[in-house]
Amino acid sequence: MQIGFIGLGAMGAALARNLLESGHDLRVFNRSPARAEPLRKAGATVAASPAQAAHSADVVFTMVADDAALTSVTFGEMGIVASMKPGTVHISMSTIGVATAQDLAARHRHAGVGFVSAPVFGRPDSATQRKLFIMAAGADEHLRIALPLLKELGQSVGIVGADPSQANLVKLIGNFMLTVTVETLGEACAVAGVAGIDPMHLVELLTNAPFNAPPYKIYGPSIAAQRFQPAGFALPLAQKDNRLMLAAADALGVALPLASFVHDRFLAVRARGFGSEHDLSALAHVALADAGLARTGTPVSR
């Protein structure tokens, strides 16, 4: 297929390379052109704008940082929708808010082009290995086009429904659960450390017993070792998703006490100097610091 791909951060670049290696004709765009150079050398065409990347494409993928970036590359000056031919499907793999996804779906319908939300669970290394878990939602005729491509990119594709925004809500719910897991691990390691139990040993014991699941195995050792770099899931992006989750719950009239607590934890850890170079696991720093276990060398100011 002829595919346009916009957004070549760590995750987007891995996805785009997989599509290229699957034999598709790929035209890519990234705001920082240097990020596109490895793909150009691998055989992709580098576009000068999102609109150029989308021109004549059968499918257009976007993987950008947030709601504003997605709206800009979709509908802004030289955005993709203006150059998409009728029947083309836009597959958005970004983690965005429910309200933004609903607006995007309506505006795509008005423009006569398809829209599928397909946010992912997994880190860039999972994307490289095609081991992402993908949540997809959209009209049946659009999913029929999107699904074969999505199956090339992940180990599973879960179909949420016909409303694209519901896939984004499921992704936000999953990330909410992940942040609570990180906070739980931080508090657990704090209690163990004060009691004289090696936090790393605690994590090993529990992840080999009832908590033998990827979130505990991925984040547990990093938290026990207070190793918060490199950023597999950058702290500010996780904080953004927490805000989006609270906004979605507020719109539905649903109270989320744990998400509200985690929101304050994000503010506290950011106030201590942790930022975009740090992983979500750094959220646990606050619990460890409150217990007097924070190691020297951690940020202490903005």
Side-chain angles (χ1 to χ4, degrees), residues 22-57:
S22 292
H24 299 290
D25 182 1
L26 200 66
R27 186 179 296 162
V28 301
F29 171 80
N30 194 70
R31 187 172 52 184
S32 304
R35 297 296 304 240
E37 187 60 18
L39 286 163
R40 184 192 66 77
K41 292 179 178 178
T45 301
V46 178
S49 68
Q52 190 181 91
H55 182 68
S56 299

Coordinates of all heavy atoms in Angstrom, one line a residue, residues 22-57:
S22 N 7.8 -4.2 5.7 CA 6.8 -5.0 5.3 C 6.5 -4.9 3.8 O 5.6 -5.6 3.3 CB 5.5 -4.8 6.1 OG 5.7 -5.2 7.5
G23 N 7.2 -4.0 3.2 CA 7.1 -3.8 1.7 C 6.2 -2.7 1.2 O 5.9 -2.6 0.0
H24 N 5.7 -1.9 2.1 CA 4.8 -0.8 1.7 C 5.6 0.4 1.2 O 6.8 0.6 1.6 CB 3.9 -0.3 2.9 CG 3.1 -1.4 3.5 ND1 2.0 -1.9 2.8 CD2 3.1 -2.1 4.6 CE1 1.4 -2.8 3.5 NE2 2.1 -3.0 4.6
D25 N 5.0 1.2 0.3 CA 5.5 2.4 -0.2 C 5.3 3.5 0.8 O 4.1 3.9 1.0 CB 4.9 2.7 -1.5 CG 5.5 3.9 -2.2 OD1 6.4 4.5 -1.6 OD2 5.0 4.3 -3.3
L26 N 6.3 4.0 1.4 CA 6.2 4.9 2.6 C 6.7 6.3 2.3 O 7.8 6.5 1.8 CB 7.0 4.3 3.8 CG 6.6 4.8 5.2 CD1 5.2 4.4 5.5 CD2 7.5 4.3 6.2
R27 N 5.9 7.3 2.6 CA 6.2 8.7 2.5 C 6.1 9.3 3.9 O 5.0 9.2 4.5 CB 5.4 9.4 1.5 CG 5.8 10.9 1.3 CD 4.9 11.5 0.3 NE 4.9 10.8 -1.0 CZ 4.0 11.0 -2.0 NH1 2.9 11.7 -1.8 NH2 4.2 10.3 -3.1
V28 N 7.2 9.8 4.5 CA 7.2 10.2 5.9 C 7.4 11.7 6.1 O 8.0 12.4 5.2 CB 8.3 9.4 6.7 CG1 8.1 7.9 6.6 CG2 9.7 9.8 6.1
F29 N 7.0 12.2 7.2 CA 7.2 13.6 7.6 C 7.5 13.7 9.1 O 6.8 13.0 9.9 CB 6.0 14.5 7.2 CG 6.2 15.9 7.8 CD1 7.0 16.8 7.1 CD2 5.6 16.3 9.0 CE1 7.1 18.1 7.6 CE2 5.7 17.5 9.5 CZ 6.5 18.5 8.8
N30 N 8.4 14.5 9.4 CA 8.6 14.8 10.8 C 9.0 16.3 10.9 O 9.7 16.8 10.0 CB 9.8 14.0 11.4 CG 9.8 14.0 12.9 OD1 8.9 13.5 13.6 ND2 10.8 14.7 13.5
R31 N 8.6 17.0 12.0 CA 8.9 18.4 12.1 C 10.4 18.7 12.1 O 10.8 19.7 11.6 CB 8.2 18.9 13.4 CG 8.3 20.4 13.6 CD 7.5 20.8 14.8 NE 7.8 20.0 16.0 CZ 7.1 20.1 17.2 NH1 6.1 20.9 17.3 NH2 7.5 19.4 18.2
S32 N 11.1 17.8 12.8 CA 12.6 17.9 12.7 C 13.1 16.9 11.6 O 13.1 15.7 11.8 CB 13.2 17.5 14.1 OG 12.7 18.2 15.1
P33 N 13.5 17.5 10.5 CA 13.8 16.6 9.3 C 14.9 15.5 9.6 O 14.9 14.5 9.0 CB 14.3 17.6 8.3 CG 13.7 18.9 8.7 CD 13.6 18.9 10.2
A34 N 15.8 15.8 10.5 CA 16.9 14.9 10.8 C 16.3 13.5 11.2 O 17.0 12.5 11.0 CB 17.8 15.4 11.8
R35 N 15.2 13.5 11.9 CA 14.6 12.3 12.3 C 14.2 11.4 11.2 O 14.0 10.1 11.3 CB 13.4 12.5 13.3 CG 13.7 13.3 14.5 CD 14.6 12.5 15.4 NE 14.1 11.2 15.8 CZ 13.8 10.8 17.0 NH1 14.0 11.6 18.0 NH2 13.3 9.6 17.2
A36 N 13.9 12.0 10.0 CA 13.5 11.2 8.9 C 14.6 10.6 8.1 O 14.4 9.7 7.2 CB 12.6 12.1 7.9
E37 N 15.9 11.0 8.3 CA 17.0 10.6 7.5 C 17.2 9.1 7.5 O 17.5 8.5 6.4 CB 18.2 11.4 7.9 CG 19.5 11.2 7.0 CD 19.2 11.6 5.6 OE1 18.3 12.4 5.3 OE2 20.0 11.2 4.7
P38 N 17.2 8.4 8.7 CA 17.4 7.0 8.6 C 16.4 6.2 7.8 O 16.7 5.3 7.1 CB 17.3 6.6 10.1 CG 17.7 7.8 10.9 CD 17.1 8.9 10.1
L39 N 15.2 6.7 7.8 CA 14.1 6.1 7.0 C 14.3 6.4 5.5 O 14.1 5.5 4.7 CB 12.8 6.6 7.4 CG 12.3 5.9 8.8 CD1 11.1 6.7 9.4 CD2 11.9 4.5 8.6
R40 N 14.8 7.6 5.2 CA 15.1 7.9 3.8 C 16.2 6.9 3.3 O 16.1 6.4 2.2 CB 15.6 9.3 3.7 CG 15.8 9.8 2.2 CD 16.6 11.1 2.1 NE 17.9 11.0 2.6 CZ 18.9 10.4 1.9 NH1 18.7 9.9 0.7 NH2 20.2 10.4 2.5
K41 N 17.2 6.7 4.1 CA 18.3 5.8 3.7 C 17.8 4.4 3.5 O 18.4 3.6 2.8 CB 19.4 5.8 4.7 CG 20.2 7.2 4.7 CD 21.3 7.2 5.8 CE 22.1 8.5 5.7 NZ 23.1 8.5 6.8
A42 N 16.7 4.0 4.3 CA 16.1 2.7 4.2 C 15.1 2.5 3.0 O 14.6 1.4 2.8 CB 15.5 2.3 5.5
G43 N 14.8 3.7 2.3 CA 14.0 3.5 1.2 C 12.7 4.3 1.2 O 11.9 4.3 0.2
A44 N 12.4 5.0 2.3 CA 11.2 5.9 2.4 C 11.4 7.2 1.6 O 12.6 7.6 1.5 CB 10.8 6.1 3.8
T45 N 10.3 7.8 1.2 CA 10.4 9.1 0.7 C 10.1 10.1 1.8 O 9.2 10.0 2.6 CB 9.3 9.3 -0.5 OG1 9.6 8.3 -1.5 CG2 9.4 10.7 -1.0
V46 N 10.9 11.2 1.8 CA 10.7 12.2 2.9 C 9.9 13.4 2.3 O 10.2 13.9 1.3 CB 12.0 12.7 3.4 CG1 11.8 13.8 4.5 CG2 12.8 11.6 4.0
A47 N 8.8 13.7 2.9 CA 7.9 14.7 2.5 C 8.2 16.0 3.2 O 8.8 16.1 4.2 CB 6.4 14.4 2.8
A48 N 7.8 17.1 2.5 CA 8.1 18.5 3.0 C 7.1 19.0 4.0 O 7.3 20.0 4.6 CB 8.3 19.5 1.9
S49 N 5.9 18.3 4.0 CA 4.8 18.7 4.9 C 3.9 17.5 5.2 O 4.0 16.5 4.4 CB 4.0 19.8 4.2 OG 3.3 19.3 3.1
P50 N 3.1 17.6 6.2 CA 2.1 16.5 6.4 C 1.2 16.3 5.2 O 0.9 15.2 4.8 CB 1.3 17.0 7.6 CG 2.2 17.9 8.4 CD 3.0 18.6 7.3
A51 N 0.8 17.4 4.5 CA -0.1 17.3 3.4 C 0.6 16.5 2.3 O 0.0 15.7 1.6 CB -0.5 18.7 2.9
Q52 N 1.9 16.8 2.0 CA 2.6 16.1 1.0 C 2.8 14.6 1.3 O 2.7 13.7 0.4 CB 4.0 16.7 0.8 CG 4.7 16.2 -0.4 CD 6.1 16.8 -0.6 OE1 7.1 16.3 -0.1 NE2 6.1 18.0 -1.3
A53 N 2.9 14.3 2.6 CA 3.0 12.9 3.0 C 1.7 12.1 2.8 O 1.7 10.9 2.5 CB 3.4 12.8 4.5
A54 N 0.6 12.9 2.9 CA -0.7 12.2 2.7 C -1.2 12.2 1.3 O -2.1 11.4 1.0 CB -1.7 13.0 3.6
H55 N -0.6 13.0 0.4 CA -1.0 13.1 -0.9 C -1.0 11.7 -1.7 O 0.1 11.0 -1.7 CB -0.2 14.1 -1.7 CG -0.6 14.3 -3.1 ND1 -1.8 14.9 -3.5 CD2 0.0 14.0 -4.3 CE1 -1.9 14.9 -4.8 NE2 -0.9 14.4 -5.3
S56 N -2.1 11.3 -2.2 CA -2.2 10.0 -3.0 C -2.1 8.8 -2.1 O -2.0 7.7 -2.7 CB -1.2 10.0 -4.1 OG -1.4 11.1 -5.0
A57 N -2.0 8.9 -0.8 CA -1.8 7.8 0.1 C -3.1 7.0 0.2 O -4.2 7.6 0.1 CB -1.4 8.2 1.4

